[in-house]
Amino acid sequence: MGSVFSKILVANRGEIAVRIIRTARDMGIKTVAVYSDADRDALHTRLADERVRIGPSEPKLSYLNSKAILQAALSLGAEAIHPGYGFLSQNAQFAQEVVESGLAWIGPPPSVLKLAGDKLSSRRFFAGSGIPVVPGTLEPVGLEEAPEAAEELGYPVVVKPAGGGGGIGMFVASSPSDLRDKVEKASRLASASFSRSEVYLEKYFPRAKHIEVQILGDEHGKIVHLFERECSVQRRFQKVVEEAPSPSITPEERKEVLRLAVKAAESCHYVNAGTFEFLFDLDERKFYLLEVNTRIQVEHPVTEMITGVDVVEQQILIAAGEQLSSTLSSLNYSGHAIEARIYAEDPWSNFMPSPGRVSRLELPAGPWVRVDSGVYEGYTVPEFYDPLLMKIVSWGQNREAARSRLVRALKELVIEGVKHNRSFLVNVLQHPRFVDGTYTTRLLEEESLYRVRGEEGAATPDTERRERGAQDKAQKVSYWRLLARARF
C-alpha cells in the first residue's frame, strides 16, 4: 500500500500508541513516539521509528503538554498527529493548533470536538436535530434548581459534569435528601478534574443497556456505520467488557439504532472515526443518545474482529483526504467478538492501581485470539497513568464460542509482579446473566462481582492488612486517576 503520509507522530502512550504504530507500519508510514520520563523504556518507544522526550512523568507536563508535542512533530518532520484516546484526543484547542500549524489532525475537526466536548450544548444540538436524548436538563443546575428538576424527571436521577467524561463526577441520587450531597460532590469533582463545576441531571434507568455505534465519516460528506457494540458491563460508569454485535437487540432494533447514529453523525457533519453512544431502556425498548466520543475507542477491536475493517487505517486515510470505500456502505459483519480489559489494579482492594515491575508475562494465543498490549516482561508499570496493560479479544462464529474462547485465553494469561483483574474478568464472563446476555449496566453492582475473590485475590491471613494499606498505596497515584477508578 502506498503511504498517504510519510511520517506521523503518535501523541499517546501504552497499548493504543502501540496499536497505531503497527497499523502505520503496515501502511508504510514512519512513526514518531513521544514519551515522558516514566515511559523512557515503554514498548511504544521501542516500536516507533523515532522517539522524543516531551517532559517529566506528570501528565500535565508531558502527554498534556500540547506545545511540546506540536514542537516535536514539526521539528521531526511529521505530517500528521494521531492523538489516540484520552489525553489531548478530544481537545478542540489542540486540534485547532495542529491544523493551523499545517499538520493533519487524525480525528474529527475542531468544530465537532467543541460540539461534543460540552455535554449540554451537545444534548441541545442533537435534541434539536430530532435525535432522542436521555431525558434530563438542557442547562446547568445548582442546589436551588436541582430538586425541582429531579422531581419532574422522577427519581432516581444521575448527576453529571457538563464538561467531563470517563465516569468522573457522575453520581446517582435516589431521593431528595440524597440529591444535595450528590450535586455538591459532583460539582466539586468536576471542578477539580475538568476545571469546570457545572453539572446537570439525567433520568436514571435501572434496567438499561449501553449500546454504541461505530461511525466513519470522510471530508466529502459520506457517513457509514460499522455496526454496534454492547458495553453494558460497567463499574462506576466505566466499561469493563465489550462485545459486538449486541446480543440484546432484535434485527429491527439494530436497524433503528444504526439509523439514529448515522442521522446524528450527518447532522453535525461528522468526519473521521467516532462513537455514538446510546442508552437502551429495556422497559420501553427505546434508544436514547447518551454522548458522542470524538476519538477512537478502547473497545474498537471488537468491531474490527467482526467487520475486518482496520479503524485506525481508516482514520489515517480520512485525515489524508481519501474518500471512504464504497464497499463500506454494503458491509456486513461475521460472528461475534468480546473484549476484556486487563488492568494493573486490585479488584479485591477497591480496584486500587498496582504500579510496579512485571516480573513475568505469558500472553494467550491460539486461533481467533487477539492481544493488544502495551507492556512486556520486565516493564515497570508507572504510577502516573491509567493502569491499562492490555486488551484480550476473542472471536467466534457465535457468541458462546467467543465467550468460552475468551475465558480460555484469560486463564492462559500469566502476569506476575503487579496485581491485576484477570480472575475478576473470568468471574464476569462466567456469570449466568452474562452467559445468557440478560445483564444490564447494573450487573456488577447487583451481583457484587468485585467482592468475589479469584485466585489472585484468594483470602489470606494478611488480606485485611493489605486492604487497610490500599489507601497508602493510592497516595502515589495521580489524584484525578484515583477519582476515576474509585467506587463511591
Side-chain angles (χ1 to χ4, degrees):
M1 174 184 294
S3 63
V4 291
F5 297 116
S6 61
K7 184 188 293 187
I8 65 174
L9 180 142
V10 181
N12 216 297
R13 63 176 302 278
E15 67 86 17
I16 189 59
V18 171
R19 165 76 183 85
I20 296 165
I21 289 168
R22 284 174 169 156
T23 281
R25 177 165 292 173
D26 288 345
M27 298 176 71
I29 302 172
K30 293 185 179 298
T31 55
V32 177
V34 297
Y35 67 91
S36 70
D37 288 343
D39 276 337
R40 186 174 299 276
D41 296 319
L43 182 58
H44 73 285
T45 70
R46 298 185 174 194
L47 293 180
D49 297 284
E50 298 176 81
R51 46 181 272 170
V52 58
R53 178 186 178 274
I54 51 170
S57 302
E58 292 78 5
K60 67 179 180 180
L61 301 177
S62 52
Y63 297 106
L64 293 172
N65 187 342
S66 58
K67 182 177 180 181
I69 293 173
L70 187 54
Q71 182 178 354
L74 293 170
S75 64
L76 292 176
E79 297 168 303
I81 291 179
H82 195 310
Y85 55 71
F87 294 126
L88 294 169
S89 63
Q90 294 174 277
N91 188 304
Q93 181 178 344
F94 179 56
Q96 186 65 44
E97 292 171 355
V98 170
V99 173
E100 290 177 353
S101 73
L103 302 180
W105 171 255
I106 304 178
S111 59
V112 173
L113 293 177
K114 289 178 183 177
L115 171 66
D118 185 294
K119 306 302 182 186
L120 285 172
S121 65
S122 177
R123 282 170 55 78
R124 289 192 293 266
F125 175 84
F126 288 114
S129 301
I131 307 298
V133 300
V134 178
T137 62
L138 297 178
E139 300 293 339
V141 297
L143 293 176
E144 293 184 2
E145 304 92 348
E148 182 178 350
E151 288 293 341
E152 184 175 342
L153 289 170
Y155 287 96
V157 297
V158 185
V159 185
K160 289 187 172 183
I168 302 175
M170 291 172 57
F171 299 96
V172 177
S174 55
S175 66
S177 60
D178 190 31
L179 183 63
R180 172 177 287 273
D181 175 64
K182 296 299 173 60
V183 169
E184 289 180 335
K185 185 179 289 186
S187 180
R188 185 169 61 250
L189 292 182
S191 179
S193 303
F194 311 116
S195 300
R196 182 178 175 187
S197 62
E198 293 97 335
V199 299
Y200 65 100
L201 303 184
E202 282 184 352
K203 175 68 177 174
Y204 181 69
F205 294 91
R207 295 188 67 249
K209 295 275 194 171
H210 185 117
I211 311 291
E212 61 186 33
V213 178
Q214 177 69 64
I215 288 292
L216 294 174
D218 65 25
E219 296 176 351
H220 310 279
K222 184 174 182 178
I223 303 283
V224 300
H225 68 77
L226 299 182
F227 299 96
E228 86 285 355
R229 301 184 284 256
E230 175 154 347
C231 309
S232 299
V233 181
Q234 300 180 3
R235 186 186 67 80
R236 279 289 306 131
F237 303 106
Q238 296 180 45
K239 301 163 189 174
V240 176
V241 173
E242 303 97 357
E243 59 181 311
S246 168
S248 307
I249 57 178
T250 65
E252 291 73 22
E253 290 167 339
R254 174 169 294 111
K255 290 180 182 178
E256 174 64 6
V257 72
L258 298 178
R259 181 190 70 82
L260 288 173
V262 170
K263 179 180 178 180
E266 290 174 342
S267 71
C268 65
H269 306 289
Y270 201 92
V271 176
N272 214 270
T275 303
F276 286 71
E277 305 197 357
F278 292 83
L279 183 147
F280 182 56
D281 178 23
L282 289 172
D283 292 328
E284 295 185 3
R285 307 295 296 185
K286 186 174 181 180
F287 294 99
Y288 297 99
L289 182 66
L290 275 170
E291 62 180 2
V292 182
N293 265 301
T294 50
R295 53 173 170 78
I296 194 163
Q297 293 278 86
V298 179
E299 59 271 21
H300 75 275
V302 293
T303 293
E304 294 181 330
M305 295 284 270
I306 67 167
T307 63
V309 176
D310 184 330
V311 177
V312 173
E313 178 185 45
Q314 293 300 314
Q315 284 190 289
I316 294 172
L317 292 173
I318 291 168
E322 298 286 321
Q323 295 186 23
L324 288 169
S325 170
S326 59
T327 59
L328 294 174
S329 299
S330 56
L331 190 70
N332 210 335
Y333 66 85
S334 174
H336 200 96
I338 308 177
E339 174 183 295
R341 306 182 185 194
I342 308 297
Y343 286 97
E345 63 184 11
D346 187 356
W348 326 119
S349 295
N350 204 22
F351 290 88
M352 286 297 172
S354 176
R357 182 175 180 273
V358 179
S359 58
R360 183 184 175 196
L361 179 63
E362 295 180 11
L363 299 178
W368 317 122
V369 172
R370 166 177 168 176
V371 180
D372 282 19
S373 174
V375 302
Y376 54 86
E377 189 169 290
Y379 172 73
T380 298
V381 180
E383 62 195 40
F384 303 95
Y385 318 114
D386 186 276
L388 178 64
L389 300 178
M390 67 189 71
K391 304 173 309 198
I392 300 179
V393 192
S394 67
W395 179 90
Q397 291 185 341
N398 53 58
R399 184 174 184 266
E400 177 53 26
R403 188 198 66 82
S404 60
R405 181 168 287 131
L406 184 54
V407 170
R408 184 267 294 170
L410 288 171
K411 289 182 176 180
E412 285 184 11
L413 175 67
V414 176
I415 305 175
E416 294 180 0
V418 297
K419 297 185 186 300
H420 54 86
N421 63 335
R422 186 194 71 163
S423 288
F424 166 73
L425 292 168
V426 172
N427 289 340
V428 172
L429 292 169
Q430 293 182 329
H431 191 277
R433 288 178 60 189
F434 185 87
V435 174
D436 65 18
T438 62
Y439 67 99
T440 70
T441 55
R442 292 172 56 86
L443 173 67
L444 301 188
E445 179 182 356
E446 292 174 345
E447 302 297 334
S448 299
L449 281 169
Y450 48 81
R451 296 191 183 97
V452 180
R453 294 180 182 275
E455 56 199 64
E456 287 92 9
T460 64
D462 67 341
T463 293
E464 292 185 3
R465 176 183 58 78
R466 288 190 292 105
E467 294 187 352
R468 284 196 303 269
Q471 292 296 334
D472 294 334
K473 181 184 296 185
Q475 297 306 312
K476 294 184 177 181
V477 181
S478 113
Y479 180 62
W480 68 270
R481 181 55 59 193
L482 178 61
L483 290 175
R485 302 202 63 74
R487 282 186 295 109
F488 291 91

